[in-house]
Amino acid sequence: MKISKILAGMSAMALAASMMTMGASAAITGADSKGNMIYDVKTLTEANNIKISDVYGVRAYFSDSAAGVVEQGAGGGFIFSSKSNNWNQKEWCNGCGESETHDIQYDAATKSITRLEETPFWTDVDVSDAEGEYAQIAFCEWWGGDIDFSKIVLLDKDGKEIEGTDVNPGGNSVDLSAYDATEVTLAGNGKAKVDTGKVRVNVNNPWGEDVDKLITPADFEGVDAIAVTAEFDAITDPVDFAINFAIFSDNGPQYWGEGNAANKGCSTEAVTVNADGSYTFLLKFDEPLTVDGDLFLDLQSAFEAATDDDIPFAAKVTSVKALTLKDAPASSESTADSTESTDSTDSDESKVILVDSTDSKTNSAATSSKAANNASNTNPSTGAAALAAVGVALAGAAVVATKKRK
């Protein structure tokens, strides 16, 4: 989305290229496995129809919480990268020692760090999508606590923001304040894998290997909902994932995607995984769940791949919560039809139970979509006929995702 221009003249920085990548602490929220937070320059320019020849620099704004961390002392790398310039790194910091020299200092007034060059850094070739060409902005943190960015803006030759765009952060917000949440013990984290040609992340697949069975079904007896949180990495195009579920009894609830005729007793919505980050999925039951056998639970997409090695992104389950609804406020007891004489000063008052909303789970700014429509059912495990015995079959749901965010 567009943001207002913020005029802030910045002195031109002298080029001080360093081709060596320093070891990063991975304290940047959403960083890749090497601790680098990477943004695609073409995505930022196309969002606001900006000419790459007008881009001389970048300003990164820290979130309020991250700014507080940086103000206690932090530092790392601020990288402009392309095929022709490779990993062109300058250093940023706050609270550096007097004997240390860093190119870029934290600006407490704007809660940001700025890198500005004397000439445009990237060229039309860098953002041309030609094979091997690329244009990236990257950050790493070498010391300090956990940080993230609220937005990244592009700068013109005077250091003025060029109709910058808010960073599209990965992750979503899910309000769990209506529930008492119990974190269940996970036997592992699972991974993105191919089954029946579609990519899924198993949470409990009775037909899979031990690594596909992360939970104990009995932990969900009597629950009103289940929350599954998974972390996605190396997302380059948006992908929808949704919970698929079946309890193994004749009348047990099941869900195989929006519009599937076999759905009953529960509901959920697909979530668009549009950038690297942590995403929470919520499955609600019409009535408390009865676990009288095993259950199937996964995060399912419609993204196709031939083998596990062909999946361009990574995913792992980081949390599963058993949710039970908190007590609802009690209704006032009516005495209008009571045959007993009641003194008004002794009458019962309406009982109201206050609900603490501080338990809501927030994973950064959210993007979610309606669940992809699954027109047909397929077996949830290749070659397994067991699910047919329960009268259900697995259908896929969704599509793939964007590199580096928040």
Side-chain angles (χ1 to χ4, degrees), residues 254-321:
Q254 53 184 293
Y255 189 88
W256 305 111
E258 185 179 25
N260 194 295
N263 295 344
K264 63 178 180 179
C266 57
S267 61
T268 188
E269 289 187 357
V271 174
T272 300
V273 179
N274 64 324
D276 291 1
S278 185
Y279 295 78
T280 296
F281 304 79
L282 184 63
L283 176 71
K284 300 178 182 179
F285 299 105
D286 295 349
E287 57 185 38
L289 182 66
T290 298
V291 181
D292 51 3
D294 217 332
L295 61 82
F296 177 84
L297 175 63
D298 82 346
L299 303 178
Q300 179 71 47
S301 81
F303 181 69
E304 298 181 354
T307 68
D308 292 355
D309 292 335
D310 297 320
I311 303 173
F313 54 87
K316 64 180 180 180
V317 177
T318 57
S319 170
V320 178
K321 292 183 173 67

Side-chain angles (χ1 to χ4, degrees), residues 17 70-71 126 128 158-159 168 171 175 179 217 224 244 274 284 287 290 293 312 315 320 342 357 365 384 387 405:
V70 172
E71 285 162 10
D126 297 330
S128 65
D158 297 319
N168 190 11
D175 184 5
Y179 301 96
D224 298 296
N244 279 0
N274 64 324
K284 300 178 182 179
E287 57 185 38
T290 298
V320 178
T342 305
S357 63
L387 192 56
R405 58 106 178 160

Side-chain angles (χ1 to χ4, degrees), residues 61-406:
Y61 289 90
F62 294 94
S63 67
D64 288 342
S65 60
V69 171
V70 172
E71 285 162 10
Q72 299 302 311
F78 195 154
I79 299 95
F80 287 176
S81 186
S82 66
K83 180 181 177 181
S84 58
N85 288 284
N86 203 354
W87 189 262
N88 190 295
Q89 179 172 280
K90 291 189 175 182
E91 299 173 358
W92 68 271
C93 81
N94 185 54
C96 310
E98 292 182 2
S99 62
E100 299 179 63
T101 301
H102 294 284
D103 306 292
I104 299 163
Q105 294 292 321
Y106 170 72
D107 183 350
T110 59
K111 300 178 181 178
S112 69
I113 51 177
T114 299
R115 176 173 175 176
L116 187 66
E117 302 295 339
E118 294 177 337
T119 59
F121 187 88
W122 296 283
T123 68
D124 289 330
V125 173
D126 297 330
V127 294
S128 65
D129 289 331
E131 184 174 357
E133 301 293 343
Y134 61 93
Q136 294 177 330
I137 304 160
F139 300 91
C140 51
E141 185 184 17
W142 302 333
W143 77 91
D146 290 353
I147 59 173
D148 57 12
F149 302 105
S150 61
K151 65 182 177 182
I152 304 296
V153 294
L154 304 178
L155 308 176
D156 67 13
K157 60 184 178 64
D158 297 319
K160 298 177 181 178
E161 296 181 6
I162 314 171
E163 287 296 321
T165 179
D166 285 350
V167 175
N168 190 11
N172 65 330
S173 298
V174 177
D175 184 5
L176 301 182
S177 61
Y179 301 96
D180 289 317
T182 301
E183 189 94 24
V184 303
T185 301
L186 298 179
N189 292 112
K191 65 176 184 176
K193 62 190 305 181
V194 176
D195 192 47
T196 62
K198 309 290 185 182
V199 175
R200 68 159 62 152
V201 182
N202 287 321
V203 181
N204 194 67
N205 180 2
W207 303 277
E209 304 171 287
D210 288 342
V211 294
D212 300 318
K213 304 168 187 176
L214 310 183
I215 60 175
T216 302
D219 288 342
F220 301 92
E221 176 66 33
V223 302
D224 298 296
I226 296 174
V228 177
T229 300
E231 188 173 292
F232 293 84
D233 183 59
I235 296 296
T236 57
D237 295 292
V239 161
D240 283 356
F241 273 86
I243 288 178
N244 279 0
F245 177 86
I247 192 75
F248 296 168
S249 66
D250 290 342
N251 297 308
Q254 53 184 293
Y255 189 88
W256 305 111
E258 185 179 25
N260 194 295
N263 295 344
K264 63 178 180 179
C266 57
S267 61
T268 188
E269 289 187 357
V271 174
T272 300
V273 179
N274 64 324
D276 291 1
S278 185
Y279 295 78
T280 296
F281 304 79
L282 184 63
L283 176 71
K284 300 178 182 179
F285 299 105
D286 295 349
E287 57 185 38
L289 182 66
T290 298
V291 181
D292 51 3
D294 217 332
L295 61 82
F296 177 84
L297 175 63
D298 82 346
L299 303 178
Q300 179 71 47
S301 81
F303 181 69
E304 298 181 354
T307 68
D308 292 355
D309 292 335
D310 297 320
I311 303 173
F313 54 87
K316 64 180 180 180
V317 177
T318 57
S319 170
V320 178
K321 292 183 173 67
L323 306 174
T324 52
L325 286 166
K326 294 179 179 178
D327 293 336
S331 301
S332 300
E333 183 177 342
S334 174
T335 57
D337 297 326
S338 173
T339 56
E340 297 179 10
S341 174
T342 305
D343 188 308
S344 61
T345 60
D346 296 328
S347 62
D348 290 342
E349 295 181 354
S350 299
K351 296 182 176 65
V352 177
I353 299 175
L354 298 179
V355 177
D356 183 1
S357 63
T358 58
D359 190 39
S360 67
K361 172 70 176 175
T362 302
N363 297 323
S364 164
T367 318
S368 64
S369 73
K370 293 183 179 178
N373 185 15
N374 296 326
S376 62
N377 293 335
T378 26
N379 196 305
S381 179
T382 305
L387 192 56
V390 238
V392 291
L394 178 62
V399 202
V400 264
T402 279
K403 188 117 187 162
K404 293 295 174 204
R405 58 106 178 160
K406 189 179 166 194

